[in-house]
Amino acid sequence: MSTEMPPPRPQSEALQILATEHWSLLATRALTYTESLGRVSMFLGVLSGAVIALALIAQADHFGPTFIAIAIFMLAIVFFVGVATVRRLMMLNFDDFRWVVGMNRLRHKYLELHPELEPNFITSQYDDLPGALETLGLSPASAPTLGTVFHGAVTLPGMVSVIVAAVGAAIAGLAAVGFGAPTLVVVVVGALAFAAALAVMFWSGRRSFRGYGPSYQPRFPTPK
């Protein structure tokens, strides 16, 4: 049996393999964005269809008991679709984080092969959370506070969560109307339902991010 080491691969072959993987990750990120927008469009389509249907029912029943019963049922379906959409959007964000980490690792190898190119890169070569945030265009200094209410509100899952919480508030308000509650009580019940639904979804998103992002084991952490 021969004990000779195989000859090292030429740099051009290594760069070609790395570039192929890099383009594969870019294509996968594009598919992730496409699915995210498609999920949001599907939810908004369901919501719009439900609102149009309820408008037609309201004209026939004049906001009577039949309208309230049908509205609660239809909005409950919309609420379920919205919660599922938010959950899927968070999963897609986690997938996107993974693809960014992969590209950062490839970029690290590029700079190992050609360190003289380092001044030409504006994205990170490190695969920890600060490195991924830098590649995504976020300040690494925001990593300890990422996932707060203020940041979550401007993300795609956060914005959809606000709409879903509004649907939940409408369900609670209609239920209060069905029980004959006065207007003030209906408004208070709706506001409390909105706040509770929004808080639960933001808390779930924050917990999911905290459990996924920082626990990811980096191979090339950012130097301190």
Side-chain angles (χ1 to χ4, degrees), residues 7-20 106 109-117:
R9 295 180 181 271
Q11 278 196 11
S12 59
E13 184 177 348
L15 288 172
Q16 183 178 3
I17 295 173
L18 293 172
T20 301
L106 295 176
K109 187 61 179 180
Y110 291 150
L111 294 177
E112 279 187 353
L113 296 175
H114 293 283
E116 72 278 3
L117 297 178

Side-chain angles (χ1 to χ4, degrees), residues 172-191:
L174 286 170
V177 171
F179 284 104
T183 303
L184 180 60
V185 175
V186 172
V187 172
V188 172
V189 168

Side-chain angles (χ1 to χ4, degrees), residues 43 46 74-85 161 163-169 171 193 197 201:
F43 166 67
V46 172
M74 293 185 64
L75 291 179
I77 296 176
V78 175
F79 184 82
F80 171 78
V81 173
V83 171
T85 300
S161 295
I163 301 176
V164 175
V167 174
I171 295 173
M201 285 187 286

Side-chain angles (χ1 to χ4, degrees), residues 87-104:
R87 184 60 186 173
R88 182 55 184 164
L89 288 175
M90 290 191 296
M91 294 172 64
L92 291 172
N93 280 352
F94 296 156
D95 289 341
D96 188 60
F97 177 81
R98 183 182 180 187
W99 313 143
V100 170
V101 167
M103 290 191 291
N104 281 13

Side-chain angles (χ1 to χ4, degrees), residues 127-148:
D127 63 348
D128 55 359
L129 181 59
L133 292 178
E134 183 178 345
T135 298
L136 290 169
L138 300 173
S139 171
S142 66
T145 59
L146 194 66
T148 60

